[in-house]
Amino acid sequence: MSRNPREESVAVIGSGVSGLITAYTLIRDGFENVEILTKDAHVGGIWARDRIYPGLFLNNVHGEYRLSPLKMPPPVSGGDRLSGYDMNKYFETFASQFLEGKIQFNLDVHNIRRPASGQGWLLDISDLKSGIQETREYARLVMCTGGSSNPRIPKELSPEAAAAAGFKGLVMHTVDFARKIDVLLAHAAPAESGPDTPSVVVIGGGKSAQDVCAYLANEGKKVTLVCHNLDPFTAGPKPLPEFLRKSRLLSLFSPHIHLRTASERFLHTTWVGKKIVDFMWNGLADSSFKAMNIPADSPLRNTVSPFWHVRVNDEGVPRPNGFHPLAVAGKIEVLSPAHVAGFSEDGGSVSLEDGRAVRASVLVLATGYTSSWSPLFEENTIEELGLKPHLAQPNPEHHWDYTTLSDAPPLHPDAKKWSFSLYRGLVPAKNIHRRDFAVNGACISLNNGYTVEVASHWISSYFLSDPMRIAQTPEEAFKETERDAAWLKRRYPEVPTALNASLTGYLAFWTWPQHVDDLLEDMGLPVMRGGGNGLTWPFHVIDLKEIEHLKEERDAKRAEISS
């Protein structure tokens, strides 16, 4: 007789938002032995207390980041934007209120593998405080480690390359920014220094790079941003109304792998619809530039497209101490398009590809991250699980005749070469039949809290072997993930998703409501929960109340099937 899965042990690796809600959902579903293991000293993941810093604010366009069991208090700043401190306090409150005694801190998990029996998981664990090492066995495993902890450092810009070139300044990655603020400030020159005075040079155009630049400029330091292009953003003279930013409207203007409604089919498969979609996205970008008073010839306009990318920040109402106003005011020098090729021979500069040299006292690398999974697994296991990128296999059957995708930018070379097989962004295709391993938090979404909460219920149903609309064999799952991979290359050709699948295992982003509906449909639950009729549904505000009773819905569904 098979054992009741609720009686078997589950290890959740990671204590960010996905780890917290996954453990919470499993425990409510009756799993008796759930443990959260984390290398960190505090909960919160990227919002942990030792990773937040002054000037860090929530920047997602949806404007919300919480879970249904706990309401988010108003921002402590009194404004309308949640700060890093607000986020940290929220997740610490969630952990203390719902997961007391379930989280084990300062544990380095590594060498994850199958035991000799082939059933369950062995984890080697080192206590970072006591130094004690042990091996533990669990029946099931959920990876919630995210993809923003292992820095990607280009070889030509590494501390080793700096030392070899005789560079006398400091080299650091933004992952260490909160811990090294005082050191950074000590190395940074005042903004009023002369043109020959070295600057803090920040490499990258994303949110982390912009946050570092804004912080240094507000501290009166000399700072230069160098990047190929910058993140696009949304901004306006007043906050967007909730029926625009917190509804399905923006997702309606972004194509999904399948088009569920007549409105989506009209917008994305007709030329009239394409013109409407183009007008909306171009208007959004232009109005945001205008709100920030960015001149037509400014390098700040050298952004990726908000339609074709997943790097979009919400700036809201412009703030004088924000990145863009500071750059427009000349307090942040922006060199874009530009690329740092390496360190100069003078020991005090970095060289650009076009031959220019930029004097630098500090080099801050906002160059992204690598997968958090590779260091945790035994090499054979990560291969057997299917948690490594594999060579792409183009299939002419994978085709979408969407007019809105007719003028796509070129496919990134790494996106062309590599694919990844993570079913629904939650389970490796190779392991889908075993129901003992899952991932949460590897999907890029504009409403991360809502998305990972629904995903946690999907994972729990999967572990419980509930009837679900999912692939039953690795072969079926692989066929579906290959189609998903082809779709992501078509929809976001500039994003090489396979290179950091612990962060970009799936890209829902603008179409996160459609992706969540797919997960709900897998569980046999109602979709498009915001309500409304054929004309009004895109404007209904999406609220977490819609999913606060998913457990009860799943219980009722299970009882209905078994009766």
Side-chain angles (χ1 to χ4, degrees), residues 131-157:
I132 295 174
Q133 300 188 27
E134 60 177 315
T135 297
R136 298 186 192 175
E137 186 167 359
Y138 294 91
R140 288 175 174 78
L141 186 62
V142 189
M143 302 301 297
C144 300
T145 51
S148 300
S149 57
N150 294 344
R152 188 185 75 83
I153 299 177
K155 185 177 180 181
E156 67 275 12
L157 300 178

Side-chain angles (χ1 to χ4, degrees), residues 187-190 193-201 222-223 348 358-362:
H187 280 75
S193 304
D196 293 330
T197 303
S199 176
V200 174
V201 176
K222 187 176 182 181
V223 58
V358 181
R359 297 273 292 161
S361 59
V362 181

Side-chain angles (χ1 to χ4, degrees), residues 77-126:
S77 64
D80 61 350
R81 293 173 66 85
L82 294 166
S83 71
Y85 299 103
D86 294 314
M87 298 300 298
N88 168 251
K89 183 178 180 181
Y90 177 83
F91 290 120
E92 290 194 350
T93 300
F94 187 97
S96 63
Q97 187 166 329
F98 300 114
L99 296 168
E100 190 69 35
K102 296 294 183 179
I103 308 174
Q104 299 176 34
F105 297 100
N106 301 298
L107 297 183
D108 179 27
V109 177
H110 53 280
N111 202 31
I112 299 174
R113 62 202 183 277
R114 293 281 189 190
S117 66
Q119 303 298 316
W121 302 96
L122 292 179
L123 285 62
D124 288 347
I125 296 175
S126 300

Side-chain angles (χ1 to χ4, degrees), residues 261-472:
T261 67
S263 299
E264 291 171 282
R265 290 189 288 274
F266 167 72
L267 287 173
H268 300 294
T269 63
T270 69
W271 287 106
V272 174
K274 172 178 167 51
K275 289 190 176 295
I276 295 172
V277 170
D278 289 347
F279 177 80
M280 197 286 295
W281 290 107
N282 291 334
L284 182 66
D286 290 343
S287 64
S288 297
F289 287 141
K290 183 178 180 181
M292 287 290 187
N293 295 314
I294 296 177
D297 60 350
S298 171
L300 293 172
R301 286 181 176 254
N302 180 36
T303 66
V304 297
S305 164
F307 177 82
W308 291 107
H309 225 283
V310 294
R311 288 166 42 193
V312 184
N313 302 320
D314 177 46
E315 297 296 330
V317 178
R319 295 162 289 119
N321 63 346
F323 169 77
H324 295 90
L326 289 168
V328 169
K331 295 181 180 181
I332 299 171
E333 182 183 20
V334 177
L335 304 179
S336 182
H339 180 76
V340 175
F343 296 96
S344 302
E345 295 179 356
D346 63 8
S349 307
V350 292
S351 301
L352 305 188
E353 277 189 346
D354 60 11
R356 288 180 291 172
V358 181
R359 297 273 292 161
S361 59
V362 181
L363 185 66
V364 179
L365 304 173
T367 47
Y369 299 87
T370 61
S371 173
S372 62
W373 295 335
S374 298
L376 301 178
F377 287 85
E378 184 181 73
E379 182 63 26
N380 290 342
T381 303
I382 203 167
E383 185 74 41
E384 291 168 3
L385 261 177
L387 284 180
K388 292 182 70 173
H390 62 265
L391 291 174
Q393 302 175 17
N395 186 333
E397 294 181 3
H398 300 151
H399 183 68
W400 292 266
D401 291 319
Y402 294 177
T403 53
T404 47
L405 301 180
S406 61
D407 51 358
L411 186 63
H412 190 286
D414 287 323
K416 183 177 183 179
K417 182 176 181 180
W418 300 105
S419 290
F420 200 83
S421 299
L422 196 62
Y423 188 84
R424 296 287 193 267
L426 298 172
V427 178
K430 280 187 176 182
N431 201 69
I432 195 163
H433 58 303
R434 304 192 65 163
R435 297 196 182 229
D436 67 353
F437 182 91
V439 168
N440 200 357
C443 173
I444 299 290
S445 166
L446 282 181
N447 191 342
N448 205 38
Y450 195 116
T451 304
V452 297
E453 183 164 346
V454 173
S456 73
H457 286 273
W458 192 102
I459 290 169
S460 188
S461 286
Y462 171 70
F463 282 174
L464 288 169
S465 295
D466 288 343
M468 299 175 72
R469 183 203 64 174
I470 62 174
Q472 299 300 310

Side-chain angles (χ1 to χ4, degrees), residues 211-228:
D211 280 350
V212 171
C213 288
Y215 177 81
L216 291 170
N218 285 315
E219 291 293 316
K221 301 299 182 180
K222 187 176 182 181
V223 58
T224 301
L225 179 76
V226 182
C227 63
H228 176 62

Side-chain angles (χ1 to χ4, degrees), residues 240-267:
L240 286 175
E242 288 196 347
F243 75 86
L244 291 180
R245 71 181 299 178
K246 292 189 176 182
S247 67
R248 288 176 173 260
L249 186 63
L250 290 176
S251 71
L252 177 64
F253 285 90
S254 177
H256 189 49
I257 190 170
H258 57 85
L259 304 176
R260 191 183 297 272
T261 67
S263 299
E264 291 171 282
R265 290 189 288 274
F266 167 72
L267 287 173

